[in-house]
Amino acid sequence: MSENRGKENNDEEQLQGAVGGEDVIDDPILEQGAIVLRGYVIERINTEDPSRHVTSEDLGGQSNEQQEPQIKEVVEQLIKIADELNKNAELQRLINQVQANCAQDIFMKVARSIFADGINWGRVVALFHLAYKLIYKALTTNHLENIRLIISWVLQVIREQLYYWLVQQGGWEGVIQGWSHWRTFTLVASMILVATIVYYRRTR
C-alpha cells in the first residue's frame, strides 16, 4: 500500500512539473510534447495573426527550444495536417465558440471524445488545434494565466491517453513518416465534430 501511495505521489509531482512545459525534464515524450505544442501555437499565430509576435517564453518555454531541426520538422508536419482542419468552416465555427476560460473537466471530456475509438496523428493535431484556439483566446483577452493551465491539460492528456501510442510511433518524430493524408481529414473532422457536439450537449 505504501508503494502505491509513493507511486501516486510521484505521478502528482510529475504532473505538477509539467505545468507550462519548460520544467518537464524527466520524460522526453512529455518534454518534447510541450515544445512541439508551443511551436504549433506559434506557427498558427504567425499564419493567422502575423501582427501578433509570440515567443516560446510567452508560452512558458525557453528561447531556443524551437531551433532544433527535428522539432521544426515535426511542427511543420503537424501544421500540414492542421491546414486540412482549417478547410472545414463548420468545424472552425464550433471550435471558435469554445470559451477561453472553459473548465478542465470540459477540456478533458472533449479530449476523451477525440480519442474515444482510436488514436492517429490527425486526432493528435485536433487536440493541439483546440488547445491553440484556447491559448490564442487567452492571449487576445489578456488571460495569460490560462496559457500554462491549457498546456498542462494537454500534457495530462498525453500522459494518460497518448503516451504508449507515441512510444510505439517512435516518439513525436513518428508523424514525419506515419501520417496517412487521405484518412486523416475524414477521421479528424468527424471526431472533432462529435467532440464539440458532446461539449455543447453537456454544457447547455
Side-chain angles (χ1 to χ4, degrees):
M1 187 171 181
S2 61
E3 289 181 3
N4 289 338
R5 187 178 296 114
K7 183 180 184 301
E8 288 173 5
N9 290 339
N10 187 48
D11 287 345
E12 287 175 6
E13 287 172 6
Q14 288 178 335
L15 280 174
Q16 289 169 359
V19 174
E22 79 276 19
D23 52 353
V24 181
I25 57 175
D26 61 324
D27 191 298
I29 295 283
L30 291 174
E31 181 179 22
Q32 197 172 54
I35 294 171
V36 168
L37 174 59
R38 286 192 288 266
Y40 178 90
V41 170
I42 290 168
E43 288 303 314
R44 286 252 65 94
I45 292 175
N46 285 344
T47 300
E48 298 180 16
D49 189 0
S51 63
R52 184 175 293 276
H53 302 290
V54 178
T55 67
S56 287
E57 296 100 314
D58 295 329
L59 305 179
Q62 298 178 1
S63 59
N64 61 348
E65 67 181 19
Q66 301 298 326
Q67 300 308 309
E68 188 181 335
Q70 211 167 36
I71 293 291
K72 288 183 176 180
E73 196 172 357
V74 170
V75 171
E76 285 173 9
Q77 190 63 60
L78 296 178
I79 292 293
K80 287 178 184 177
I81 300 174
D83 287 341
E84 295 295 329
L85 285 176
N86 283 330
K87 293 177 183 177
N88 189 315
E90 177 66 10
L91 169 60
Q92 291 304 311
R93 185 185 70 79
L94 290 171
I95 289 179
N96 285 335
Q97 291 180 30
V98 177
Q99 295 299 309
N101 59 346
C102 75
Q104 182 177 5
D105 62 330
I106 298 299
F107 184 91
M108 292 300 171
K109 284 176 186 176
V110 175
R112 281 194 291 271
S113 297
I114 292 173
F115 303 108
D117 64 350
I119 303 171
N120 61 42
W121 287 110
R123 298 181 191 198
V124 173
V125 172
L127 174 69
F128 275 32
H129 200 67
L130 179 60
Y132 152 68
K133 290 292 187 180
L134 296 177
I135 289 172
Y136 181 71
K137 285 181 179 180
L139 285 168
T140 55
T141 58
N142 204 32
H143 288 88
L144 304 183
E145 70 281 0
N146 289 344
I147 293 174
R148 289 183 177 228
L149 272 178
I150 295 162
I151 292 176
S152 73
W153 297 346
V154 173
L155 291 177
Q156 185 175 337
V157 173
I158 292 171
R159 181 187 294 280
E160 294 177 356
Q161 296 184 254
L162 308 181
Y163 191 91
Y164 293 108
W165 181 83
L166 285 165
V167 170
Q168 291 172 351
Q169 307 307 307
W172 292 94
E173 292 82 2
V175 70
I176 299 166
Q177 289 85 25
W179 176 50
S180 175
H181 177 88
W182 68 270
R183 288 186 302 175
T184 297
F185 178 65
T186 303
L187 289 171
V188 170
S190 63
M191 285 307 301
I192 277 286
L193 286 171
V194 168
T196 311
I197 289 168
V198 168
Y199 168 82
Y200 281 104
R201 282 180 179 170
R202 292 182 178 177
T203 56
R204 280 186 169 179

PDB file of all heavy atoms in Angstrom, residues 104-139:
ATOM      1  N   GLN A 104     -11.368  22.653 -16.710  1.00  0.00           N
ATOM      2  CA  GLN A 104     -10.549  21.495 -17.051  1.00  0.00           C
ATOM      3  C   GLN A 104     -11.401  20.274 -17.381  1.00  0.00           C
ATOM      4  O   GLN A 104     -11.090  19.524 -18.300  1.00  0.00           O
ATOM      5  CB  GLN A 104      -9.595  21.169 -15.905  1.00  0.00           C
ATOM      6  CG  GLN A 104      -8.681  19.986 -16.213  1.00  0.00           C
ATOM      7  CD  GLN A 104      -7.690  19.715 -15.093  1.00  0.00           C
ATOM      8  OE1 GLN A 104      -7.755  20.359 -14.047  1.00  0.00           O
ATOM      9  NE2 GLN A 104      -6.797  18.783 -15.299  1.00  0.00           N
ATOM     10  N   ASP A 105     -12.489  20.079 -16.633  1.00  0.00           N
ATOM     11  CA  ASP A 105     -13.290  18.886 -16.884  1.00  0.00           C
ATOM     12  C   ASP A 105     -13.936  18.920 -18.260  1.00  0.00           C
ATOM     13  O   ASP A 105     -14.083  17.888 -18.919  1.00  0.00           O
ATOM     14  CB  ASP A 105     -14.344  18.696 -15.786  1.00  0.00           C
ATOM     15  CG  ASP A 105     -15.345  19.837 -15.711  1.00  0.00           C
ATOM     16  OD1 ASP A 105     -14.967  20.971 -16.053  1.00  0.00           O
ATOM     17  OD2 ASP A 105     -16.495  19.597 -15.316  1.00  0.00           O
ATOM     18  N   ILE A 106     -14.305  20.114 -18.732  1.00  0.00           N
ATOM     19  CA  ILE A 106     -14.867  20.235 -20.088  1.00  0.00           C
ATOM     20  C   ILE A 106     -13.796  19.912 -21.119  1.00  0.00           C
ATOM     21  O   ILE A 106     -14.029  19.169 -22.080  1.00  0.00           O
ATOM     22  CB  ILE A 106     -15.420  21.656 -20.323  1.00  0.00           C
ATOM     23  CG1 ILE A 106     -16.565  21.960 -19.350  1.00  0.00           C
ATOM     24  CG2 ILE A 106     -15.875  21.825 -21.763  1.00  0.00           C
ATOM     25  CD1 ILE A 106     -17.746  21.041 -19.470  1.00  0.00           C
ATOM     26  N   PHE A 107     -12.601  20.465 -20.930  1.00  0.00           N
ATOM     27  CA  PHE A 107     -11.498  20.187 -21.846  1.00  0.00           C
ATOM     28  C   PHE A 107     -11.224  18.690 -21.902  1.00  0.00           C
ATOM     29  O   PHE A 107     -11.041  18.117 -22.984  1.00  0.00           O
ATOM     30  CB  PHE A 107     -10.247  20.941 -21.402  1.00  0.00           C
ATOM     31  CG  PHE A 107      -9.075  20.785 -22.330  1.00  0.00           C
ATOM     32  CD1 PHE A 107      -8.862  21.678 -23.365  1.00  0.00           C
ATOM     33  CD2 PHE A 107      -8.178  19.732 -22.176  1.00  0.00           C
ATOM     34  CE1 PHE A 107      -7.780  21.538 -24.222  1.00  0.00           C
ATOM     35  CE2 PHE A 107      -7.103  19.575 -23.025  1.00  0.00           C
ATOM     36  CZ  PHE A 107      -6.908  20.489 -24.049  1.00  0.00           C
ATOM     37  N   MET A 108     -11.195  18.043 -20.753  1.00  0.00           N
ATOM     38  CA  MET A 108     -10.900  16.606 -20.702  1.00  0.00           C
ATOM     39  C   MET A 108     -12.008  15.774 -21.355  1.00  0.00           C
ATOM     40  O   MET A 108     -11.732  14.762 -21.999  1.00  0.00           O
ATOM     41  CB  MET A 108     -10.681  16.162 -19.255  1.00  0.00           C
ATOM     42  CG  MET A 108      -9.417  16.723 -18.629  1.00  0.00           C
ATOM     43  SD  MET A 108      -7.920  16.222 -19.552  1.00  0.00           S
ATOM     44  CE  MET A 108      -6.682  17.246 -18.737  1.00  0.00           C
ATOM     45  N   LYS A 109     -13.256  16.201 -21.207  1.00  0.00           N
ATOM     46  CA  LYS A 109     -14.351  15.497 -21.861  1.00  0.00           C
ATOM     47  C   LYS A 109     -14.197  15.551 -23.376  1.00  0.00           C
ATOM     48  O   LYS A 109     -14.387  14.557 -24.079  1.00  0.00           O
ATOM     49  CB  LYS A 109     -15.703  16.114 -21.461  1.00  0.00           C
ATOM     50  CG  LYS A 109     -16.177  15.739 -20.070  1.00  0.00           C
ATOM     51  CD  LYS A 109     -17.471  16.472 -19.731  1.00  0.00           C
ATOM     52  CE  LYS A 109     -17.886  16.216 -18.297  1.00  0.00           C
ATOM     53  NZ  LYS A 109     -19.089  17.004 -17.908  1.00  0.00           N
ATOM     54  N   VAL A 110     -13.865  16.725 -23.880  1.00  0.00           N
ATOM     55  CA  VAL A 110     -13.670  16.878 -25.317  1.00  0.00           C
ATOM     56  C   VAL A 110     -12.480  16.039 -25.775  1.00  0.00           C
ATOM     57  O   VAL A 110     -12.547  15.339 -26.788  1.00  0.00           O
ATOM     58  CB  VAL A 110     -13.469  18.365 -25.693  1.00  0.00           C
ATOM     59  CG1 VAL A 110     -13.132  18.515 -27.167  1.00  0.00           C
ATOM     60  CG2 VAL A 110     -14.727  19.170 -25.365  1.00  0.00           C
ATOM     61  N   ALA A 111     -11.389  16.074 -25.011  1.00  0.00           N
ATOM     62  CA  ALA A 111     -10.191  15.298 -25.360  1.00  0.00           C
ATOM     63  C   ALA A 111     -10.499  13.809 -25.394  1.00  0.00           C
ATOM     64  O   ALA A 111     -10.082  13.094 -26.315  1.00  0.00           O
ATOM     65  CB  ALA A 111      -9.063  15.598 -24.380  1.00  0.00           C
ATOM     66  N   ARG A 112     -11.223  13.333 -24.391  1.00  0.00           N
ATOM     67  CA  ARG A 112     -11.572  11.905 -24.362  1.00  0.00           C
ATOM     68  C   ARG A 112     -12.436  11.532 -25.562  1.00  0.00           C
ATOM     69  O   ARG A 112     -12.308  10.437 -26.114  1.00  0.00           O
ATOM     70  CB  ARG A 112     -12.282  11.561 -23.053  1.00  0.00           C
ATOM     71  CG  ARG A 112     -11.336  11.394 -21.870  1.00  0.00           C
ATOM     72  CD  ARG A 112     -12.029  10.728 -20.697  1.00  0.00           C
ATOM     73  NE  ARG A 112     -13.041  11.592 -20.104  1.00  0.00           N
ATOM     74  CZ  ARG A 112     -12.800  12.460 -19.124  1.00  0.00           C
ATOM     75  NH1 ARG A 112     -11.577  12.575 -18.628  1.00  0.00           N
ATOM     76  NH2 ARG A 112     -13.771  13.192 -18.624  1.00  0.00           N
ATOM     77  N   SER A 113     -13.312  12.444 -25.957  1.00  0.00           N
ATOM     78  CA  SER A 113     -14.170  12.174 -27.115  1.00  0.00           C
ATOM     79  C   SER A 113     -13.352  12.071 -28.400  1.00  0.00           C
ATOM     80  O   SER A 113     -13.636  11.240 -29.262  1.00  0.00           O
ATOM     81  CB  SER A 113     -15.221  13.283 -27.267  1.00  0.00           C
ATOM     82  OG  SER A 113     -16.070  13.325 -26.148  1.00  0.00           O
ATOM     83  N   ILE A 114     -12.334  12.906 -28.520  1.00  0.00           N
ATOM     84  CA  ILE A 114     -11.492  12.880 -29.718  1.00  0.00           C
ATOM     85  C   ILE A 114     -10.844  11.513 -29.894  1.00  0.00           C
ATOM     86  O   ILE A 114     -10.777  10.973 -31.004  1.00  0.00           O
ATOM     87  CB  ILE A 114     -10.406  13.985 -29.635  1.00  0.00           C
ATOM     88  CG1 ILE A 114     -11.047  15.371 -29.713  1.00  0.00           C
ATOM     89  CG2 ILE A 114      -9.376  13.818 -30.767  1.00  0.00           C
ATOM     90  CD1 ILE A 114     -10.081  16.504 -29.470  1.00  0.00           C
ATOM     91  N   PHE A 115     -10.395  10.928 -28.781  1.00  0.00           N
ATOM     92  CA  PHE A 115      -9.666   9.656 -28.854  1.00  0.00           C
ATOM     93  C   PHE A 115     -10.520   8.464 -28.421  1.00  0.00           C
ATOM     94  O   PHE A 115      -9.979   7.405 -28.111  1.00  0.00           O
ATOM     95  CB  PHE A 115      -8.406   9.740 -27.985  1.00  0.00           C
ATOM     96  CG  PHE A 115      -7.488  10.873 -28.374  1.00  0.00           C
ATOM     97  CD1 PHE A 115      -7.376  11.994 -27.563  1.00  0.00           C
ATOM     98  CD2 PHE A 115      -6.766  10.817 -29.551  1.00  0.00           C
ATOM     99  CE1 PHE A 115      -6.542  13.040 -27.921  1.00  0.00           C
ATOM    100  CE2 PHE A 115      -5.934  11.869 -29.920  1.00  0.00           C
ATOM    101  CZ  PHE A 115      -5.823  12.980 -29.111  1.00  0.00           C
ATOM    102  N   ALA A 116     -11.830   8.643 -28.452  1.00  0.00           N
ATOM    103  CA  ALA A 116     -12.731   7.616 -27.909  1.00  0.00           C
ATOM    104  C   ALA A 116     -12.584   6.267 -28.602  1.00  0.00           C
ATOM    105  O   ALA A 116     -12.660   5.223 -27.958  1.00  0.00           O
ATOM    106  CB  ALA A 116     -14.181   8.090 -27.996  1.00  0.00           C
ATOM    107  N   ASP A 117     -12.382   6.265 -29.919  1.00  0.00           N
ATOM    108  CA  ASP A 117     -12.309   4.974 -30.617  1.00  0.00           C
ATOM    109  C   ASP A 117     -11.015   4.812 -31.406  1.00  0.00           C
ATOM    110  O   ASP A 117     -10.970   4.101 -32.399  1.00  0.00           O
ATOM    111  CB  ASP A 117     -13.525   4.768 -31.526  1.00  0.00           C
ATOM    112  CG  ASP A 117     -13.587   5.798 -32.642  1.00  0.00           C
ATOM    113  OD1 ASP A 117     -12.817   6.776 -32.599  1.00  0.00           O
ATOM    114  OD2 ASP A 117     -14.407   5.617 -33.558  1.00  0.00           O
ATOM    115  N   GLY A 118      -9.961   5.470 -30.942  1.00  0.00           N
ATOM    116  CA  GLY A 118      -8.671   5.268 -31.591  1.00  0.00           C
ATOM    117  C   GLY A 118      -7.805   6.511 -31.589  1.00  0.00           C
ATOM    118  O   GLY A 118      -8.265   7.606 -31.280  1.00  0.00           O
ATOM    119  N   ILE A 119      -6.538   6.302 -31.906  1.00  0.00           N
ATOM    120  CA  ILE A 119      -5.560   7.394 -31.945  1.00  0.00           C
ATOM    121  C   ILE A 119      -4.887   7.395 -33.306  1.00  0.00           C
ATOM    122  O   ILE A 119      -4.514   6.342 -33.826  1.00  0.00           O
ATOM    123  CB  ILE A 119      -4.480   7.212 -30.856  1.00  0.00           C
ATOM    124  CG1 ILE A 119      -5.121   7.111 -29.464  1.00  0.00           C
ATOM    125  CG2 ILE A 119      -3.472   8.366 -30.885  1.00  0.00           C
ATOM    126  CD1 ILE A 119      -4.136   6.724 -28.366  1.00  0.00           C
ATOM    127  N   ASN A 120      -4.765   8.566 -33.906  1.00  0.00           N
ATOM    128  CA  ASN A 120      -3.911   8.752 -35.078  1.00  0.00           C
ATOM    129  C   ASN A 120      -3.387  10.183 -35.043  1.00  0.00           C
ATOM    130  O   ASN A 120      -3.783  10.978 -34.178  1.00  0.00           O
ATOM    131  CB  ASN A 120      -4.657   8.426 -36.386  1.00  0.00           C
ATOM    132  CG  ASN A 120      -5.865   9.314 -36.598  1.00  0.00           C
ATOM    133  OD1 ASN A 120      -5.829  10.520 -36.363  1.00  0.00           O
ATOM    134  ND2 ASN A 120      -6.963   8.710 -37.040  1.00  0.00           N
ATOM    135  N   TRP A 121      -2.499  10.503 -35.958  1.00  0.00           N
ATOM    136  CA  TRP A 121      -1.878  11.827 -35.920  1.00  0.00           C
ATOM    137  C   TRP A 121      -2.883  12.938 -36.174  1.00  0.00           C
ATOM    138  O   TRP A 121      -2.753  14.041 -35.649  1.00  0.00           O
ATOM    139  CB  TRP A 121      -0.726  11.907 -36.915  1.00  0.00           C
ATOM    140  CG  TRP A 121       0.470  11.138 -36.469  1.00  0.00           C
ATOM    141  CD1 TRP A 121       0.975   9.987 -37.001  1.00  0.00           C
ATOM    142  CD2 TRP A 121       1.319  11.447 -35.347  1.00  0.00           C
ATOM    143  NE1 TRP A 121       2.071   9.567 -36.281  1.00  0.00           N
ATOM    144  CE2 TRP A 121       2.309  10.444 -35.268  1.00  0.00           C
ATOM    145  CE3 TRP A 121       1.321  12.474 -34.397  1.00  0.00           C
ATOM    146  CZ2 TRP A 121       3.296  10.439 -34.289  1.00  0.00           C
ATOM    147  CZ3 TRP A 121       2.310  12.473 -33.415  1.00  0.00           C
ATOM    148  CH2 TRP A 121       3.280  11.468 -33.366  1.00  0.00           C
ATOM    149  N   GLY A 122      -3.902  12.647 -36.967  1.00  0.00           N
ATOM    150  CA  GLY A 122      -4.932  13.650 -37.202  1.00  0.00           C
ATOM    151  C   GLY A 122      -5.644  14.038 -35.926  1.00  0.00           C
ATOM    152  O   GLY A 122      -5.926  15.211 -35.681  1.00  0.00           O
ATOM    153  N   ARG A 123      -5.913  13.053 -35.088  1.00  0.00           N
ATOM    154  CA  ARG A 123      -6.610  13.335 -33.834  1.00  0.00           C
ATOM    155  C   ARG A 123      -5.693  14.037 -32.833  1.00  0.00           C
ATOM    156  O   ARG A 123      -6.153  14.849 -32.040  1.00  0.00           O
ATOM    157  CB  ARG A 123      -7.167  12.040 -33.256  1.00  0.00           C
ATOM    158  CG  ARG A 123      -8.187  11.407 -34.185  1.00  0.00           C
ATOM    159  CD  ARG A 123      -8.775  10.132 -33.622  1.00  0.00           C
ATOM    160  NE  ARG A 123      -9.545   9.437 -34.641  1.00  0.00           N
ATOM    161  CZ  ARG A 123     -10.447   8.499 -34.377  1.00  0.00           C
ATOM    162  NH1 ARG A 123     -10.682   8.148 -33.129  1.00  0.00           N
ATOM    163  NH2 ARG A 123     -11.104   7.912 -35.350  1.00  0.00           N
ATOM    164  N   VAL A 124      -4.409  13.708 -32.879  1.00  0.00           N
ATOM    165  CA  VAL A 124      -3.451  14.433 -32.038  1.00  0.00           C
ATOM    166  C   VAL A 124      -3.440  15.904 -32.436  1.00  0.00           C
ATOM    167  O   VAL A 124      -3.453  16.797 -31.575  1.00  0.00           O
ATOM    168  CB  VAL A 124      -2.039  13.822 -32.173  1.00  0.00           C
ATOM    169  CG1 VAL A 124      -1.011  14.679 -31.426  1.00  0.00           C
ATOM    170  CG2 VAL A 124      -2.018  12.391 -31.639  1.00  0.00           C
ATOM    171  N   VAL A 125      -3.447  16.160 -33.738  1.00  0.00           N
ATOM    172  CA  VAL A 125      -3.476  17.548 -34.212  1.00  0.00           C
ATOM    173  C   VAL A 125      -4.781  18.224 -33.805  1.00  0.00           C
ATOM    174  O   VAL A 125      -4.794  19.411 -33.467  1.00  0.00           O
ATOM    175  CB  VAL A 125      -3.283  17.609 -35.739  1.00  0.00           C
ATOM    176  CG1 VAL A 125      -3.515  19.021 -36.261  1.00  0.00           C
ATOM    177  CG2 VAL A 125      -1.878  17.159 -36.106  1.00  0.00           C
ATOM    178  N   ALA A 126      -5.886  17.472 -33.820  1.00  0.00           N
ATOM    179  CA  ALA A 126      -7.162  18.041 -33.391  1.00  0.00           C
ATOM    180  C   ALA A 126      -7.071  18.536 -31.950  1.00  0.00           C
ATOM    181  O   ALA A 126      -7.571  19.613 -31.608  1.00  0.00           O
ATOM    182  CB  ALA A 126      -8.267  17.000 -33.523  1.00  0.00           C
ATOM    183  N   LEU A 127      -6.420  17.751 -31.089  1.00  0.00           N
ATOM    184  CA  LEU A 127      -6.202  18.167 -29.702  1.00  0.00           C
ATOM    185  C   LEU A 127      -5.360  19.443 -29.650  1.00  0.00           C
ATOM    186  O   LEU A 127      -5.688  20.395 -28.943  1.00  0.00           O
ATOM    187  CB  LEU A 127      -5.502  17.043 -28.935  1.00  0.00           C
ATOM    188  CG  LEU A 127      -5.071  17.383 -27.499  1.00  0.00           C
ATOM    189  CD1 LEU A 127      -6.284  17.556 -26.590  1.00  0.00           C
ATOM    190  CD2 LEU A 127      -4.141  16.290 -26.959  1.00  0.00           C
ATOM    191  N   PHE A 128      -4.270  19.463 -30.414  1.00  0.00           N
ATOM    192  CA  PHE A 128      -3.404  20.647 -30.463  1.00  0.00           C
ATOM    193  C   PHE A 128      -4.163  21.857 -30.996  1.00  0.00           C
ATOM    194  O   PHE A 128      -3.972  22.980 -30.528  1.00  0.00           O
ATOM    195  CB  PHE A 128      -2.183  20.369 -31.348  1.00  0.00           C
ATOM    196  CG  PHE A 128      -1.047  19.690 -30.629  1.00  0.00           C
ATOM    197  CD1 PHE A 128      -1.282  18.810 -29.585  1.00  0.00           C
ATOM    198  CD2 PHE A 128       0.263  19.918 -31.018  1.00  0.00           C
ATOM    199  CE1 PHE A 128      -0.233  18.177 -28.923  1.00  0.00           C
ATOM    200  CE2 PHE A 128       1.323  19.306 -30.370  1.00  0.00           C
ATOM    201  CZ  PHE A 128       1.078  18.434 -29.319  1.00  0.00           C
ATOM    202  N   HIS A 129      -5.017  21.618 -31.977  1.00  0.00           N
ATOM    203  CA  HIS A 129      -5.754  22.716 -32.599  1.00  0.00           C
ATOM    204  C   HIS A 129      -6.727  23.336 -31.605  1.00  0.00           C
ATOM    205  O   HIS A 129      -6.850  24.565 -31.522  1.00  0.00           O
ATOM    206  CB  HIS A 129      -6.501  22.195 -33.825  1.00  0.00           C
ATOM    207  CG  HIS A 129      -6.888  23.281 -34.783  1.00  0.00           C
ATOM    208  ND1 HIS A 129      -5.962  24.010 -35.495  1.00  0.00           N
ATOM    209  CD2 HIS A 129      -8.100  23.757 -35.155  1.00  0.00           C
ATOM    210  CE1 HIS A 129      -6.589  24.887 -36.266  1.00  0.00           C
ATOM    211  NE2 HIS A 129      -7.888  24.759 -36.076  1.00  0.00           N
ATOM    212  N   LEU A 130      -7.399  22.499 -30.840  1.00  0.00           N
ATOM    213  CA  LEU A 130      -8.298  23.011 -29.813  1.00  0.00           C
ATOM    214  C   LEU A 130      -7.510  23.786 -28.762  1.00  0.00           C
ATOM    215  O   LEU A 130      -7.917  24.877 -28.350  1.00  0.00           O
ATOM    216  CB  LEU A 130      -9.057  21.848 -29.161  1.00  0.00           C
ATOM    217  CG  LEU A 130     -10.024  22.236 -28.032  1.00  0.00           C
ATOM    218  CD1 LEU A 130     -11.099  23.195 -28.527  1.00  0.00           C
ATOM    219  CD2 LEU A 130     -10.661  20.991 -27.427  1.00  0.00           C
ATOM    220  N   ALA A 131      -6.366  23.249 -28.334  1.00  0.00           N
ATOM    221  CA  ALA A 131      -5.519  23.945 -27.357  1.00  0.00           C
ATOM    222  C   ALA A 131      -5.044  25.280 -27.921  1.00  0.00           C
ATOM    223  O   ALA A 131      -5.024  26.299 -27.208  1.00  0.00           O
ATOM    224  CB  ALA A 131      -4.330  23.072 -26.979  1.00  0.00           C
ATOM    225  N   TYR A 132      -4.672  25.296 -29.202  1.00  0.00           N
ATOM    226  CA  TYR A 132      -4.234  26.544 -29.840  1.00  0.00           C
ATOM    227  C   TYR A 132      -5.336  27.599 -29.775  1.00  0.00           C
ATOM    228  O   TYR A 132      -5.087  28.764 -29.442  1.00  0.00           O
ATOM    229  CB  TYR A 132      -3.835  26.291 -31.293  1.00  0.00           C
ATOM    230  CG  TYR A 132      -4.014  27.497 -32.168  1.00  0.00           C
ATOM    231  CD1 TYR A 132      -3.215  28.633 -32.006  1.00  0.00           C
ATOM    232  CD2 TYR A 132      -5.015  27.529 -33.147  1.00  0.00           C
ATOM    233  CE1 TYR A 132      -3.411  29.762 -32.790  1.00  0.00           C
ATOM    234  CE2 TYR A 132      -5.205  28.641 -33.926  1.00  0.00           C
ATOM    235  CZ  TYR A 132      -4.412  29.759 -33.746  1.00  0.00           C
ATOM    236  OH  TYR A 132      -4.612  30.873 -34.520  1.00  0.00           O
ATOM    237  N   LYS A 133      -6.568  27.192 -30.097  1.00  0.00           N
ATOM    238  CA  LYS A 133      -7.675  28.141 -30.083  1.00  0.00           C
ATOM    239  C   LYS A 133      -7.859  28.737 -28.689  1.00  0.00           C
ATOM    240  O   LYS A 133      -8.088  29.945 -28.539  1.00  0.00           O
ATOM    241  CB  LYS A 133      -8.972  27.450 -30.528  1.00  0.00           C
ATOM    242  CG  LYS A 133      -9.002  27.085 -32.007  1.00  0.00           C
ATOM    243  CD  LYS A 133      -9.063  28.324 -32.873  1.00  0.00           C
ATOM    244  CE  LYS A 133      -9.260  27.974 -34.340  1.00  0.00           C
ATOM    245  NZ  LYS A 133      -9.319  29.177 -35.197  1.00  0.00           N
ATOM    246  N   LEU A 134      -7.759  27.902 -27.673  1.00  0.00           N
ATOM    247  CA  LEU A 134      -7.920  28.379 -26.299  1.00  0.00           C
ATOM    248  C   LEU A 134      -6.761  29.279 -25.882  1.00  0.00           C
ATOM    249  O   LEU A 134      -6.953  30.301 -25.218  1.00  0.00           O
ATOM    250  CB  LEU A 134      -8.045  27.192 -25.345  1.00  0.00           C
ATOM    251  CG  LEU A 134      -9.282  26.304 -25.541  1.00  0.00           C
ATOM    252  CD1 LEU A 134      -9.235  25.125 -24.574  1.00  0.00           C
ATOM    253  CD2 LEU A 134     -10.568  27.085 -25.358  1.00  0.00           C
ATOM    254  N   ILE A 135      -5.537  28.899 -26.263  1.00  0.00           N
ATOM    255  CA  ILE A 135      -4.364  29.725 -25.936  1.00  0.00           C
ATOM    256  C   ILE A 135      -4.441  31.068 -26.655  1.00  0.00           C
ATOM    257  O   ILE A 135      -4.143  32.119 -26.072  1.00  0.00           O
ATOM    258  CB  ILE A 135      -3.060  28.976 -26.293  1.00  0.00           C
ATOM    259  CG1 ILE A 135      -2.845  27.815 -25.309  1.00  0.00           C
ATOM    260  CG2 ILE A 135      -1.859  29.928 -26.257  1.00  0.00           C
ATOM    261  CD1 ILE A 135      -1.704  26.892 -25.686  1.00  0.00           C
ATOM    262  N   TYR A 136      -4.862  31.033 -27.909  1.00  0.00           N
ATOM    263  CA  TYR A 136      -4.985  32.287 -28.673  1.00  0.00           C
ATOM    264  C   TYR A 136      -6.013  33.207 -28.024  1.00  0.00           C
ATOM    265  O   TYR A 136      -5.802  34.414 -27.891  1.00  0.00           O
ATOM    266  CB  TYR A 136      -5.375  31.984 -30.119  1.00  0.00           C
ATOM    267  CG  TYR A 136      -5.484  33.226 -30.972  1.00  0.00           C
ATOM    268  CD1 TYR A 136      -4.338  33.930 -31.344  1.00  0.00           C
ATOM    269  CD2 TYR A 136      -6.726  33.696 -31.397  1.00  0.00           C
ATOM    270  CE1 TYR A 136      -4.433  35.084 -32.125  1.00  0.00           C
ATOM    271  CE2 TYR A 136      -6.823  34.836 -32.170  1.00  0.00           C
ATOM    272  CZ  TYR A 136      -5.679  35.530 -32.532  1.00  0.00           C
ATOM    273  OH  TYR A 136      -5.775  36.661 -33.295  1.00  0.00           O
ATOM    274  N   LYS A 137      -7.130  32.622 -27.593  1.00  0.00           N
ATOM    275  CA  LYS A 137      -8.143  33.435 -26.906  1.00  0.00           C
ATOM    276  C   LYS A 137      -7.592  34.001 -25.597  1.00  0.00           C
ATOM    277  O   LYS A 137      -7.873  35.150 -25.242  1.00  0.00           O
ATOM    278  CB  LYS A 137      -9.393  32.592 -26.628  1.00  0.00           C
ATOM    279  CG  LYS A 137     -10.245  32.341 -27.862  1.00  0.00           C
ATOM    280  CD  LYS A 137     -11.481  31.526 -27.518  1.00  0.00           C
ATOM    281  CE  LYS A 137     -12.346  31.290 -28.756  1.00  0.00           C
ATOM    282  NZ  LYS A 137     -13.558  30.492 -28.452  1.00  0.00           N
ATOM    283  N   ALA A 138      -6.805  33.193 -24.893  1.00  0.00           N
ATOM    284  CA  ALA A 138      -6.200  33.674 -23.647  1.00  0.00           C
ATOM    285  C   ALA A 138      -5.267  34.849 -23.916  1.00  0.00           C
ATOM    286  O   ALA A 138      -5.231  35.822 -23.148  1.00  0.00           O
ATOM    287  CB  ALA A 138      -5.449  32.542 -22.953  1.00  0.00           C
ATOM    288  N   LEU A 139      -4.521  34.770 -25.009  1.00  0.00           N
ATOM    289  CA  LEU A 139      -3.605  35.856 -25.374  1.00  0.00           C
ATOM    290  C   LEU A 139      -4.365  37.126 -25.751  1.00  0.00           C
ATOM    291  O   LEU A 139      -4.015  38.218 -25.328  1.00  0.00           O
ATOM    292  CB  LEU A 139      -2.725  35.423 -26.555  1.00  0.00           C
ATOM    293  CG  LEU A 139      -1.592  34.444 -26.260  1.00  0.00           C
ATOM    294  CD1 LEU A 139      -1.017  33.883 -27.554  1.00  0.00           C
ATOM    295  CD2 LEU A 139      -0.484  35.117 -25.444  1.00  0.00           C
TER     296      LEU A 139
END
